[in-house]
Amino acid sequence: MASSQISLSSSFLLHKLPSPSLHRHRHRYGQAIACTATPSITSQPPLPTTNFSAKYVPFTSISTPTTESYSLNDVVYRSRDGGLLDVQHDMSALKQFDGHYWRTLFDSRVGTTKWPYGSGVWSKKEWVLPQIHDDDIVSAFEGNSNLFWAERFGKKFVKMNDLWVKHCGISHTGSFKDLGMTVLVSQVNKLRKRTTIPIIGVGCASTGDTSAALSAYCAAANIPSIVFLPANKISMAQLVQPIANNAFVLSIDTDFDGCMKLIRQVTTELPIYLANSLNSLRIEGQKTAAIEILQQFDWEVPDWVIVPGGNLGNIYAFYKGFKMCHELGLVDRIPRLVCAQARNANPLFQYYSSGWKEFEPVKAKTTFASAIQIGDPVSIDRAVCALKESNGIVEEASEEELMDAMAMADSTGMFVCPHTGVALSALIKLRGKGVIGATERAVVVSTAHGLKFSQAKIDYHSMGIEGMECSYGNSPVTVKDDFGAVMDELQKFLS
Ligand SMILES: Cc1ncc(COP(=O)(O)O)c(C=O)c1O
Ligand SMILES: N[C@@H](CCOP(=O)(O)O)C(=O)O
């Protein structure tokens, strides 16, 4: 058994759970929701009675079949040989229903208040965590985020008409991490409530967004959360989130990669459940953003999806979501994926540029895209798989390019984070090279809310960043309290 595994009982039996056909009323987030696991609305297809299931398998089993597998009720993050794990669904059970069935089922749940299907994640429950009981789910009705037609940005800056931004950051804690965290914390909630597995808390290393999501979902479920943050390397808005949500916060004098090493060691010694995306449960929630994009396009497949990458779980999550939709007959192909990295933290870009010869972690340098300042991504193998299987591309953006792209987007009415700037910058480059065509449909994934990174925007618009022109900077004009002076400034502006 790998040292990172805590040997715990996997004998938790689902038949101990209350019958899923129970009709009942329950309270969530102060709202009384009439909930039934057997929906009565006629527009919704009957729920399948088949027993769907999922288990952990070594990630390598995608290409090399193996008998090694673990129950999702086990506390295990790595395979016997120390590799990554993946959640494998019983695809033959899911395939008993055709693509039309799944599309109709998922569409019927959009906008519902019925627990837990009002969540963009749990509206796909059968594909996410099929064996969890609704009562154990910890959700803030995350997901269902805006797929924004970036009409003005598209026309003005990249000569495209069919450009979209998936605003995953307009969410409960302001980033896409909510999608994965609802799944992970729900599973922990179930294990703590219904088994004797000792989990005293849930922990993560973070560049700011994972910790915000973890602490919020744990607080909602009354589960202790422990977060390791690289000191002085995350934004104030991100730092205050776990503090406000009552997490135990360790600010450590290292970078994210150092924090990640520490939390991996700590979670092998103490019964603290690991919440980083090394834990493949997170991917199951995050993959629903891909399914949601297809759904929002009425199940038409975009040509390109561009995702900023750091620890590299999300690029694989998008691939997995698209792949499942293809395999289960909801769509007939998958989009090409682009992973965009900051030049100051670009180990994947370097690996890709070398023709996938040899992966070398890097020492990540300071970047305005601070949440992706990661030099040794845990999901490197997952990212390579996603890119190879989707005929994907890796791009990078300099500090000036990513900040300009962020400012360009904001000038057209968005308010995006620097990581979205990295992805937009990749789009600009790929359009410039003619790789992405003018009439193709592209989706840029926006990963966090711009308000979390207001200091970066202040720095840019103050035009005081050393070595950066800040070409799209927009400083306020200082004027004295005088009608004539105000009129003079307005005349200058209007002319
Ligand atoms: C805002 C933001 N964007 C992008 C990423 C990259 O996601 P991933 O680590 O899954 O590659 C992260 C976290 O790493 C993030 O917090
Ligand atoms: N950007 C992340 C970095 C950790 O990524 P994870 O997906 O492995 O948790 C963060 O916000 O902490």
Side-chain angles (χ1 to χ4, degrees), residues 91 94-107 123-124 126-127 287-288 290-302 320-334:
M91 293 300 277
L94 293 172
K95 276 181 186 165
Q96 288 174 32
F97 300 85
D98 65 10
H100 174 76
Y101 174 86
W102 289 116
R103 285 195 304 257
T104 312
L105 182 69
F106 295 161
D107 287 347
S123 62
K124 282 98 188 165
E126 295 80 2
W127 293 22
K287 79 182 180 197
T288 61
I291 308 170
E292 222 171 82
I293 288 173
L294 298 174
Q295 192 169 18
Q296 286 167 313
F297 284 136
D298 276 334
W299 304 101
E300 275 179 23
V301 183
K320 190 169 183 185
F322 289 128
K323 177 83 184 339
M324 275 185 88
C325 287
H326 185 211
E327 214 175 320
L328 291 165
L330 285 74
V331 292
D332 59 6
R333 64 188 176 95
I334 68 168

Side-chain angles (χ1 to χ4, degrees), residues 176 306-312 314-315 318 338-342 369 372 417-424 444-448:
F176 73 95
I306 307 175
V307 187
N311 222 10
L312 301 181
N314 212 27
I315 184 77
F318 271 91
V338 178
C339 189
Q341 292 209 295
I372 52 176
C417 68
H419 321 83
T420 309
V422 174
L424 287 167
V444 170
V445 177
S446 177
T447 46

Side-chain angles (χ1 to χ4, degrees), residues 129 152 199 262 289 328 374 384 410 424 457 485:
L129 260 195
R152 220 182 131 224
I199 299 176
L262 285 167
L328 291 165
I374 298 173
V384 173
D410 289 358
L424 287 167
K457 291 178 191 288

